[in-house]
Amino acid sequence: MALSAEQETMIWKTLNDTRGKIEPSEYKNYIFGVMFYKFLSEKAEGWVKENAGNQTWAELWEQDAVRASDFMKRSLGYVIQPSDLFSAWQSAISEDKFNVLMMSDSLSRFNKNLYGDAKEDFAGIFDDMDLTSTRLGNNAQMRTATMIDMINLMSKIETEDNTDVLGDLYEYLIGMFAANSGAKAGEFYTPHQVSDVMAQLLTSGRENKEQYSLYDPAMGSGSLLLTTASHMQKAGVRGAIKYYGQELITTTFNLARMNLMMHGVEYNDINLRNADTLNGDWPDGVREGIDSPRMFDAVMANPPYSLKWDNKNREEDVRFKYGVAPASKADYAFLLHSLYHLKQDGRMAIVLPHGVLFRGAAEGKIRKQLLDNHHISAVIGLPEKIFTNTGIPTIIMVLEKHRQSDDVLFIDASNDFEKAKNSNVLRDKDVDKIVKTYLDRKDIEKYAHVATMDEIIENDYNLNIPRYVDTFEEEEPVDAQKLLDDMKEINAKEKQLMSELSEQFDQLVGTDEESSKYLELLKEALNNAR
C-alpha cells in the first residue's frame, strides 16, 4: 500500500519542523540522500535474504568479508557492509552511539566499493551531502542531531511490503520542494500532469514494443523519463526499456539517478550523463572525427526557456542543419538536438514558450524548414502558471522524423485547468481531453483545428495558436429596451428614497445652536442632490 495523503503531509510538515535554518533547496539534498541510502540498504538486505540461505549478512561478512563483498557487488553493483547499513544507523541511534562521522564513513566506503558499469551510475551520487557544513550545525554534536532527525523520519516509512513507497514519496517530495523553491524549481521539476500528457502522446500505439529507448536531453529529476516508461507494457522488465538522459546541473543530475533507481530501474538500464547538451553532443556523437549518433524511439524534453547559449561556429554541426538558433534563445537548439536523435519512426514532445511559434529571423527560418519537411505534428497550448518556475504560458510541440502528412494539429487547452494556491493544475479530465483530441485529430469548435499546409503558408508560417483556433466568446446581445426600462425604474426609486429622506430630515430638530446649524447644512446638501 502506498503512503496516504495524510502520511505525505505529515512527512512534509515534519521535514519543515526539523530542517532548522537550512533552505529547502539545500535541505532536499540531505533528505533525498538519506532516503536513497535507506533504499539501497533495504535492497541489499532483501538480496541477502534471497541468496544467503539462513545466514545473516553479518555472518557472511565475518566468515569472509572479501568474498561476501564480491558476491554482493557482482549482483547489485555496490556493497554495503553490515555496520554501514541503514538499519545499523538506526540501532546506533537507539543505543545513543550514533554520530555524523559514522555516517560519512559509511558513504565513503560505499563510494570505494562500486563494481564495473555501476561505477558510472553511482559515482558521486552522495556528493551533495556535505556532512561538515555549518548549515547542519555549528559543531559535530549539532550536525549529528540534525542527521538523527532525518534518519528517524525515514525510519517511520515502512517499505517491506511495497518497494514503490520510497519512489512515490520521492516524487511527492520533489514536487513539494519545487513548489517551495521559486525560480529554482525549473531546474529539476516538470508537473506530473504535463509529464503524463507528453508520455501518452509519445507512447500511443507503441505500448507493445519489445524494446524501447527513451532520451531526455534536459532531464531534470528524470520524471519525464519515468512517466513515459510507465505507459509501456514492458515497464519494470529488466532490459526492455533503456533510459538515456543528460543534465548540466550536478545536483539535479544526482536527483535523477536516485529517482530512476528508487522507481525500480536497474542501473544496467540507466545511461545518464552530467554535461552540457548543446555544447557537446551525446549520446555517442562524434568520436575521432566520425559521427555515430544514437537514435531513440522517443525523445522528451522540458528545457530551460529562452536560455542564452554559445551559438558561434555551429554551422557545421549536423544537429543544426535547419539553422542555428540565436544566442539569446536556445529553444530551437534544444528542439533540433532532440529531433536529430529521433529514429525515423520515432516521436518527440518538447515544452517551449509561445515565442517559438511566431518569432522571426533565424527562428522563423528554422520553423519554415521544420514545416516544409513535415516534422511538426501538433502544437498544444497549455494554461499559464502551470509550471512552478514561471507564470508564462507554454506549449507542447509534437514532432516526428518521417511524416507523410504536412498538416498540423492545433489544440488550445489554455482554458482547461483548476486553480491551486499559487498555480494552475491540469485535471485528469483535461489530460484525457488533450490526448483524445490528439489521437482523433479532428476539429473541435473553439478547442482544436487541423490546419493544412496552405493555411500555414497563408499565415506566413506563423504558428500562433489563435490564428488557427478561435476561442473568442461573443457577448450576449444587449436588450436596449430592457436597459432603458431598468434605468427608468432605478431613477424612480431614487426619487422616492430622496423624498422620504427629506421628510425625515424635516422632522429633526437641533438641541443647540451648533447642531441646528449642522442640520441646516445637511438639508441644503440633500436639496441640491435632488
Side-chain angles (χ1 to χ4, degrees):
M1 179 183 291
L3 289 172
S4 67
E6 291 76 15
Q7 288 174 306
E8 290 177 336
T9 302
M10 178 275 294
I11 290 170
W12 178 248
K13 182 179 184 302
T14 305
L15 284 178
N16 280 296
D17 289 345
T18 58
R19 70 178 173 85
K21 296 180 180 179
I22 310 174
E23 290 297 319
S25 58
E26 293 184 37
Y27 187 69
K28 74 178 189 304
N29 299 334
Y30 294 97
I31 198 64
F32 285 151
V34 173
M35 188 185 302
F36 186 57
Y37 195 83
K38 173 183 168 73
F39 165 79
L40 294 177
S41 289
E42 292 179 348
K43 184 176 180 179
E45 290 182 294
W47 175 85
V48 171
K49 282 184 180 180
E50 291 179 3
N51 294 277
N54 296 322
Q55 290 185 292
T56 66
W57 183 228
E59 289 170 344
L60 285 172
W61 193 269
E62 187 176 349
Q63 290 171 11
D64 191 337
V66 174
R67 185 180 178 188
S69 175
D70 188 60
F71 186 34
M72 181 179 283
K73 279 195 290 188
R74 288 182 180 276
S75 297
L76 301 181
Y78 64 90
V79 62
I80 300 178
Q81 65 185 51
S83 60
D84 289 342
L85 290 168
F86 186 85
S87 56
W89 293 357
Q90 292 172 302
S91 298
I93 290 172
S94 66
E95 297 169 8
D96 199 23
K97 295 179 180 179
F98 180 86
N99 62 69
V100 73
L101 183 60
M102 175 182 178
M103 193 173 183
S104 60
D105 287 345
S106 297
L107 297 180
S108 177
R109 281 188 285 269
F110 175 89
N111 288 329
K112 291 177 181 177
N113 285 285
L114 299 173
Y115 177 77
D117 293 339
K119 289 181 180 180
E120 186 175 346
D121 292 300
F122 287 103
I125 203 164
F126 294 109
D127 284 357
D128 293 312
M129 293 178 65
D130 183 1
L131 298 176
T132 64
S133 173
T134 56
R135 292 182 178 86
L136 295 176
N138 292 327
N139 53 52
Q141 185 177 0
M142 293 177 67
R143 291 193 288 275
T144 295
T146 301
M147 298 316 300
I148 286 175
D149 285 340
M150 295 189 199
I151 294 169
N152 284 338
L153 178 58
M154 289 299 108
S155 298
K156 295 178 182 178
I157 304 167
E158 298 294 334
T159 60
E160 186 173 346
D161 297 325
N162 187 351
T163 55
D164 291 333
V165 167
L166 278 179
D168 293 342
L169 177 61
Y170 190 90
E171 279 285 312
Y172 166 75
L173 291 179
I174 281 179
M176 293 302 293
F177 277 116
N180 289 271
S181 298
K184 291 287 184 183
E187 296 175 355
F188 60 86
Y189 185 66
T190 300
H192 178 71
Q193 296 81 2
V194 177
S195 297
D196 200 39
V197 169
M198 298 173 74
Q200 292 190 56
L201 300 183
L202 289 170
T203 59
S204 176
R206 306 168 183 207
E207 300 92 337
N208 296 316
K209 291 191 70 169
E210 287 299 313
Q211 291 187 321
Y212 206 74
S213 56
L214 310 176
Y215 175 47
D216 186 341
M219 68 181 173
S221 62
S223 62
L224 274 173
L225 287 168
L226 283 168
T227 307
T228 302
S230 71
H231 286 273
M232 302 298 298
Q233 291 193 2
K234 293 288 184 179
V237 178
R238 186 169 182 171
I241 301 175
K242 295 293 185 182
Y243 301 77
Y244 287 79
Q246 186 154 261
E247 172 57 44
L248 177 62
I249 301 170
T250 303
T251 298
T252 309
F253 167 68
N254 289 335
L255 287 181
R257 290 192 289 172
M258 293 180 189
N259 198 11
L260 264 64
M261 283 188 259
M262 280 202 286
H263 279 86
V265 182
E266 296 292 337
Y267 76 87
N268 315 71
D269 296 330
I270 297 174
N271 300 274
L272 308 182
R273 190 182 182 205
N274 181 201
D276 189 325
T277 290
L278 299 182
N279 286 329
D281 189 20
W282 183 85
D284 300 341
V286 179
R287 292 183 177 181
E288 298 180 358
I290 300 174
D291 187 32
S292 55
R294 189 180 294 263
M295 304 302 180
F296 303 97
D297 294 294
V299 181
M300 67 289 313
N302 177 21
Y305 310 140
S306 300
L307 180 75
K308 293 181 179 179
W309 74 301
D310 180 7
N311 72 341
K312 295 178 181 177
N313 303 317
R314 302 285 184 172
E315 290 76 15
E316 300 302 317
D317 192 322
V318 291
R319 295 176 295 170
F320 309 129
K321 68 175 183 177
Y322 290 147
V324 179
S328 60
K329 297 177 180 66
D331 303 314
Y332 271 111
F334 281 108
L335 184 153
L336 292 175
H337 169 91
S338 301
L339 182 64
Y340 175 70
H341 284 287
L342 196 63
K343 286 183 179 180
Q344 287 297 315
D345 62 346
R347 188 180 297 156
M348 66 168 277
I350 183 169
V351 181
L352 296 167
H354 275 255
V356 300
L357 301 177
F358 53 79
R359 292 192 297 244
E363 292 183 302
K365 293 177 182 177
I366 295 172
R367 188 168 59 248
K368 183 178 184 301
Q369 289 280 346
L370 291 170
L371 289 164
D372 285 342
N373 286 279
H374 311 169
H375 292 310
I376 300 178
S377 173
V379 175
I380 302 166
L382 299 174
E384 63 180 1
K385 297 182 181 179
I386 203 167
F387 290 94
T388 53
N389 61 317
T390 179
I392 67 170
T394 52
I395 64 158
I396 296 174
M397 188 180 289
V398 183
L399 300 96
E400 295 178 11
K401 196 74 165 280
H402 189 67
R403 288 182 73 225
Q404 296 299 319
S405 176
D406 62 0
D407 59 17
V408 177
L409 170 65
F410 290 87
I411 298 175
D412 187 345
S414 61
N415 296 314
D416 295 345
F417 59 86
E418 180 177 71
K419 285 186 175 294
K421 185 177 180 182
N422 296 315
S423 61
N424 296 323
V425 179
L426 287 175
R427 300 159 294 192
D428 289 343
K429 66 178 183 179
D430 302 325
V431 172
D432 292 343
K433 184 178 179 182
I434 292 172
V435 174
K436 185 178 187 306
T437 303
Y438 174 82
L439 297 178
D440 291 345
R441 209 169 181 86
K442 295 179 181 178
D443 283 14
I444 298 176
E445 187 177 2
K446 300 188 181 304
Y447 186 76
H449 175 61
V450 181
T452 65
M453 195 61 184
D454 287 339
E455 288 179 80
I456 293 170
I457 292 173
E458 188 177 336
N459 279 295
D460 198 24
Y461 291 90
N462 187 318
L463 299 183
N464 203 16
I465 297 174
R467 289 179 177 243
Y468 304 93
V469 182
D470 181 11
T471 59
F472 178 74
E473 295 286 349
E474 291 188 6
E475 296 182 5
E476 290 289 331
V478 177
D479 187 336
Q481 184 58 50
K482 186 177 183 305
L483 183 61
L484 184 60
D485 291 342
D486 289 344
M487 291 175 65
K488 288 180 179 179
E489 183 180 349
I490 291 171
N491 286 334
K493 285 183 178 179
E494 182 182 13
K495 288 181 180 179
Q496 181 182 350
L497 289 172
M498 292 295 283
S499 178
E500 292 173 357
L501 187 61
S502 179
E503 290 177 5
Q504 292 175 5
F505 265 109
D506 288 340
Q507 295 174 12
L508 294 174
V509 177
T511 57
D512 53 35
E513 183 178 350
E514 185 175 353
S515 60
S516 296
K517 184 177 179 182
Y518 183 64
L519 277 173
E520 288 300 321
L521 289 172
L522 285 175
K523 290 177 182 179
E524 183 179 351
L526 181 60
N527 288 329
N528 289 336
R530 294 171 62 188

